[in-house]
């Protein structure tokens, strides 16, 4: 009698989970597809940078590539929304108290500074404790400047970030958070 | 006595050629590097899109990649200048009367339309007859809409385009042409 119960529990766990079991990158890609189809914004993931050493044309005309991964010096996503330049990254953690920032490369921080200097919008989308936040580049840089911590405290993310509540279509409708961010700029 | 003269002539030929023998892509990359170093703009070439099928870590920790080239559906360069989103491509032709447009993919034209709709700046940098022009996305789309030509006439490029004269540092200082483009918008 325990076996069916166990199945039921697992099933419920998946269905009730509001992100539909999608990881952060899939949620962002799904939202970007929705924004493109509905002509709301043009936002896309940058291709993974590869130093191509060889291209071979196959019989079916496909181009087979070999090469090496390059280190990323920018962020993963770039886009255009209401005339504004967007440049951002997605960071997910299973940690419940903080986001480890060891995996944000110094080149990426430099890039964020530049984007802000030139009046672009740069931010992180953070997944922590089954919640989603947009943290402005300015607030990220401020936190790193202040402390020697290798982690951004969840409390700081909650205080400074804009929460992105999951919706139906798209699930992670983060343009709303960007609207709030732009509103905040104009105050 | 002929030998030293010949050397001198070849030397002069190289020095006098205003683009220093650099192809269009190199000229743009050189300008982008200059803009980044002098904090004038953040503009970069998008990585070539590759569908990665395998990543192997080598002894020296390099990541060897194999995969396939994807078809490009956007343009080659993206950037941020004075708060504006830029998205553009470089096209070079040895033809003296026109730029063949067969190599502009319909997906790229769609992309240009979207960028314009969302108040971004999209354009081509064209090299023709040893001259350089910035042709606005709007003018490119207008030309394609009007005619059935597979080529953009040089006369049209001269009439509608903004000429980019070669300078010293950087050689192809195309931000000036973008300034002109922005000025034109505000009229």
């Amino acid at each position: 009698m325990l076996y069916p119960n166990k199945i039921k529990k697992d099933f419920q766990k998946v269905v009730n989970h509001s992100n539909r079991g999608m990881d952060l990158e899939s949620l962002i890609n799904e939202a970007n597809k929705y924004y493109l189809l509905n002509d709301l914004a043009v936002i896309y993931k940058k291709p993974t940078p590869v130093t191509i050493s060889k291209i071979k044309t196959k019989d079916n005309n496909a181009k087979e590539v070999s090469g090496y991964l390059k280190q990323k010096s920018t962020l993963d996503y770039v886009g255009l929304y209401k005339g504004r330049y967007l440049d951002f990254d997605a960071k997910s953690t299973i940690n419940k108290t903080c986001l480890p920032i060891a995996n944000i490369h110094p080149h990426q921080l430099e890039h964020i500074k530049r984007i802000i200097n030139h009046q672009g919008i740069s931010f992180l989308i953070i997944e922590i404790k089954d919640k989603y936040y947009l943290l402005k580049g300015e607030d990220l840089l401020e936190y790193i400047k202040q402390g020697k911590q290798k982690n951004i405290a969840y409390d700081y993310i909650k205080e400074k970030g804009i929460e992105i509540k999951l919706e139906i279509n798209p699930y992670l409708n983060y343009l709303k958070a960007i609207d709030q961010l732009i509103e905040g700029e104009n105050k």
Side-chain angles (χ1 to χ4, degrees), chain A:
Chain A
M1 290 302 279
L2 280 168
Y3 190 50
N5 273 338
K6 195 185 173 303
I7 289 178
K8 203 178 161 203
K9 259 190 201 159
D10 281 356
F11 180 69
Q12 278 179 331
K13 195 179 157 199
V14 171
V15 169
N16 288 340
H17 204 249
S18 48
N19 64 10
R20 266 63 175 173
M22 283 162 91
D23 65 14
L24 183 55
E25 192 182 310
S26 306
L27 285 169
I28 294 173
N29 292 342
E30 188 242 10
N32 291 347
K33 213 166 154 181
Y34 179 89
Y35 297 148
L36 199 67
L37 281 170
N38 292 279
D39 202 25
L40 295 169
V42 187
I43 305 170
Y44 47 91
K45 193 167 187 294
K46 294 176 201 164
T48 307
V50 173
T51 307
I52 295 170
S53 48
K54 216 170 74 184
I55 299 180
K56 209 167 99 185
T57 304
K58 308 288 282 185
D59 289 343
N60 60 0
N61 220 14
K63 311 278 185 205
E64 198 180 56
V65 166
S66 47
Y68 287 88
L69 276 194
K70 267 195 269 195
Q71 192 174 51
K72 267 188 273 187
S73 59
T74 62
L75 307 182
D76 269 351
Y77 299 89
V78 69
L80 172 64
Y81 175 55
K82 292 184 177 170
R84 299 297 300 270
Y85 175 99
L86 310 178
D87 206 314
F88 62 100
D89 225 312
K91 300 283 175 196
S92 193
T93 183
I94 50 163
N95 199 308
K96 296 206 183 303
T97 56
C98 65
L99 175 75
I101 52 176
N103 60 347
I104 306 177
H105 195 278
H107 281 162
Q108 294 184 316
L109 294 175
E110 275 310 310
H111 185 71
I112 292 173
K113 269 184 221 168
R114 283 199 189 99
I115 298 308
I116 294 169
N117 279 346
H118 292 279
Q119 300 129 60
I121 297 177
S122 191
F123 55 88
L124 299 181
I125 295 182
I126 297 169
E127 178 182 19
I128 184 167
K129 282 187 81 173
D130 285 337
K131 292 188 178 238
Y132 301 89
Y133 295 90
L134 182 151
L135 185 69
K136 282 199 297 181
E138 287 87 339
D139 293 327
L140 172 69
L141 295 174
E142 183 60 29
Y143 190 85
I144 289 172
K145 212 175 76 183
Q146 278 179 3
K148 283 162 190 153
Q149 295 100 327
K150 288 199 175 111
N151 308 295
I152 306 175
Y154 180 38
D155 284 343
Y156 186 79
I157 296 169
K158 265 197 296 194
E159 185 201 330
K160 296 285 187 174
I162 301 168
E163 193 179 345
I164 310 165
K165 294 234 167 86
L166 291 179
E167 301 183 5
I168 300 299
N169 201 6
Y171 296 133
L172 193 75
N173 188 9
Y174 65 92
L175 283 188
K176 275 192 184 173
I178 297 178
D179 281 332
Q180 250 179 276
L181 190 157
I182 294 172
E183 243 173 66
E185 279 182 348
N186 296 334
K187 265 178 196 157

